[in-house]
Amino acid sequence: MSNAGGTEPGRDSDLWVGLGLAEAASTTRIGPAPVADILAGGRRIRRRRRSVVGALTLASVLVLAGGAITELRPEPTAGHSLVPAGSGLGSGTGGPPSTAATPAVRDPLTPVRVPLEQGTTADGKLWILWQALWPAAPKERAYEQALAVWQDRSPFDQALSRPTEDFVNRYYDPGVDVTNTYFTLDGERLGHDAEGTAPSPGKLDPRNGAYLSGGAPGHRGKGDTVAPADVVTLAVGPDIARVKVTWTDGTVTEPPLVSVGDSPLRHVTVARPDGKKAKLWEYLDRNNVRLPDSGEQFFRD
């Protein structure tokens, strides 16, 4: 939603009601909005937002994509081979690999695809967590973009509803990009992806400079996961310069901040080392000062 300060970021994980409607924008699915799915909820890793929630309305909740919640479908989707598996990060992305460089032209029908993190499973398979960013479309092309996003995602989740032009136009927001986060495993894209929104360049509310929101990709509810690894991914605002995770054995992980195209948000992704529990998460600004959200914990169990 646009306001005097800019556009609020969208969110990428399962949802609550109350703040629930305010948070529902993150994992919306293209199509009619399923209230039952919103109420059902799913696996949720603690998220934070650092600006006022009260101004959000149902229109901002549903945003451009609108519709069913990606994290809450009960049936996992089988993987589909996209391109032959190979070495490097270009395999199985559903499109040509992209770097984090700023694209010269923001084409609403050409997503930027960036690997956020990768690793190897116990049986030697390569997993990669990707984010695709679809630049904001002008209103006359919003439905065309919604169809393109649906066509990109629907082979891996047959429960996705085809978008309707009326719904897309009703909740159109010119200040947000569409995001889609998903895993590949040995070159096969998995289901249980998450669709959300992010502010377009120049549209991030300055009050959200220390924005922090995240979750566990590949999950849609307790026991309903296709995630090949125990992973947390966070979207962070430009005021956050470093993230440090201290584990109970005293070791420290400091993951890189990854840019996706020219989005003002960056992404931090941490895969839990085998058998480790986190003691402390720290978020630091450019002056190495800890931000108030430090201490928020993931991987405690």
Side-chain angles (χ1 to χ4, degrees), residues 94-163:
S98 302
T99 67
T102 300
V105 177
R106 305 193 89 236
D107 183 348
L109 300 184
T110 304
V112 178
R113 300 182 194 266
V114 173
L116 302 180
E117 183 58 285
Q118 70 175 56
T120 305
T121 63
D123 56 355
K125 295 181 179 180
L126 175 67
W127 62 263
I128 304 174
L129 180 67
W130 294 87
Q131 183 163 105
L133 182 144
W134 302 71
K139 188 165 187 178
E140 64 272 14
R141 302 194 70 187
Y143 181 59
E144 184 182 7
Q145 181 189 66
L147 281 177
V149 174
W150 174 75
Q151 289 168 350
D152 190 66
R153 299 178 59 211
S154 59
F156 315 103
D157 187 346
Q158 297 179 359
L160 278 175
S161 302
R162 183 184 177 93

Side-chain angles (χ1 to χ4, degrees), residues 13-16 19 23 42-48 214-216 219 221:
S13 198
D14 30 60
L15 309 176
W16 291 61
L19 259 190
E23 297 214 59
R43 176 169 178 178
R44 183 178 191 266
I45 284 190
R46 178 172 169 81
R47 65 177 72 253
R48 294 290 300 272
H219 294 267

Side-chain angles (χ1 to χ4, degrees), residues 174-196:
V176 297
D177 300 332
V178 177
T179 63
N180 182 215
T181 305
Y182 57 89
F183 280 106
T184 59
L185 184 64
D186 269 359
E188 291 189 349
R189 179 166 167 171
L190 305 181
H192 283 26
D193 63 350
E195 182 176 323

